[in-house]
Amino acid sequence: KQEVTQIPAALSVPEGENLVLNCSFTDSAIYNLQWFRQDPGKGLTSLLLIQSSQREQTSGRLNASLDKSSGRSTLYIAASQPGDSATYLCALRNNAGNMLTFGGGTRLMVKP
Amino acid sequence: GAVVSQHPSRVICKSGTSVKIECRSLDFQATTMFWYRQFPKKSLMLMATSNEGSKATYEQGVEKDKFLINHASLTLSTLTVTSAHPEDSSFYICSASGTGGFHNEQFFGPGTRLTVL
């Protein structure tokens, strides 16, 4: 059974800092991996999706990497802003089916 | 493209009543829909998966008679919380995936906040 862990659970940084969020998983037979953002009381916003054959994806200040052999993905946020404050979730889709397995999330606070 | 809506966004009901939540795919045909539950400051927990025209598949520990799921069309799935109790208060989120270009990922709705008094 796939298990997904996100570290740290919470993170507080000053504005402008570059930061890395971590996601680790136990089963490397994944179809794709996705990073989401969730604001309090809101739904999920998809940030980046990495296919199994890819090693990274970039969108603006965000860069996500995938290393299946080590069971890890990272989300890099450059020049963080207060508006980046949210919970970030990683989720994996396994080869066997269509369902996603979510990590516990990282609550990010960027202080002005 | 790939927009999923949920209605209502927020509902408050009395204990013992039933509440229906709708999930619609607005611009694609959703062959599969997923229902999640999220407790405060926790991650999403999959409740059930439904394929259009078939009975939903429930995750272990989820009462199928308590949480009725109907996926009668390619654009609409409903979750009915029957005889709701305060412990059913939660944030419910649906997602949908389809065929072709919409098969690769799940597209999420904005969620429904249920409060049972």
Side-chain angles (χ1 to χ4, degrees), chain A residues 32 34 38 51 93 98 103, chain B residues 38 43 97 103-106:
Chain A
N32 59 36
Q34 204 163 355
Q38 185 177 31
Q51 298 294 348
R93 177 179 168 182
N98 203 5
Chain B
Q38 187 177 33
S43 190
S97 66
H103 170 71
N104 202 28
E105 62 181 291
Q106 291 180 26

Side-chain angles (χ1 to χ4, degrees), chain B residues 18-89:
Chain B
S18 294
V19 175
K20 180 183 285 187
I21 303 170
E22 294 185 347
C23 177
R24 292 182 185 272
S25 59
L26 300 184
D27 49 6
F28 68 102
Q29 293 185 325
T31 51
T32 306
M33 285 188 169
F34 305 83
W35 286 95
Y36 296 86
R37 182 173 183 176
Q38 187 177 33
F39 291 103
K41 297 187 177 181
K42 299 293 183 182
S43 190
L44 277 71
M45 180 185 73
L46 180 66
M47 298 174 66
T49 302
S50 72
N51 293 300
E52 185 266 337
S54 303
K55 289 185 178 180
T57 301
Y58 290 81
E59 294 300 302
Q60 190 173 8
V62 179
E63 300 176 59
K64 62 180 181 180
D65 295 329
K66 173 76 171 177
F67 299 99
L68 300 179
I69 291 172
N70 183 282
H71 189 174
S73 80
L74 285 171
T75 59
L76 173 65
S77 176
T78 60
L79 168 66
T80 301
V81 183
T82 62
S83 186
H85 291 282
E87 57 265 31
D88 298 325
S89 299

Side-chain angles (χ1 to χ4, degrees), chain A residues 26-41:
Chain A
T26 55
D27 185 352
S28 62
I30 65 171
Y31 185 80
N32 59 36
L33 181 147
Q34 204 163 355
W35 282 93
F36 294 91
R37 168 185 173 141
Q38 185 177 31
D39 293 288

Side-chain angles (χ1 to χ4, degrees), chain A residues 47-67:
Chain A
L47 298 174
L48 291 163
L49 184 150
I50 310 177
Q51 298 294 348
S52 175
S53 58
Q54 299 173 324
R55 291 193 62 86
E56 66 175 349
Q57 284 286 332
T58 298
S59 176
R61 294 183 293 109
L62 305 179
N63 175 276
S65 68
L66 173 63
D67 184 345

